[in-house]
Amino acid sequence: MAGLTRFERPVVVRIGHHSPERSVFDVNDAAMILVRDLQSQTEKRRQAMDACLQVLRGETHPPAARRAFVAAALEAKILR
């Protein structure tokens, strides 16, 4: 399981109203967006961060992190 961080399908987000859409292809990109761009400390954001960390530690697979990231992106209204 170690080293597998790529999503099967990218997640498309738009961080700001005037920003271009961005395709998130792996757990590292998702984690960076969660840390850098989502400021509110919600439960869905925390769950997504935990899922990303679990993938990076080799404890789970990327689909779990993708699902959690999509939920956090929906909540933050950045999912396209």
Side-chain angles (χ1 to χ4, degrees), residues 25-62:
F25 291 97
D26 66 23
V27 172
N28 292 309
D29 288 343
M32 288 304 295
I33 289 171
L34 290 164
V35 168
R36 194 177 47 215
D37 299 313
L38 297 186
Q39 303 302 319
S40 58
Q41 300 290 324
T42 67
E43 182 63 19
K44 289 187 193 286
R45 180 184 175 273
R46 187 195 63 73
Q47 290 172 350
M49 283 298 306
D50 287 347
C52 288
L53 288 172
Q54 288 175 358
V55 171
L56 294 172
R57 289 190 300 247
E59 298 170 357
T60 194
H61 296 284

Side-chain angles (χ1 to χ4, degrees), residues 61-75:
H61 296 284
R66 186 184 187 281
R67 283 190 301 275
F69 179 67
V70 166
L74 269 170
E75 179 182 64

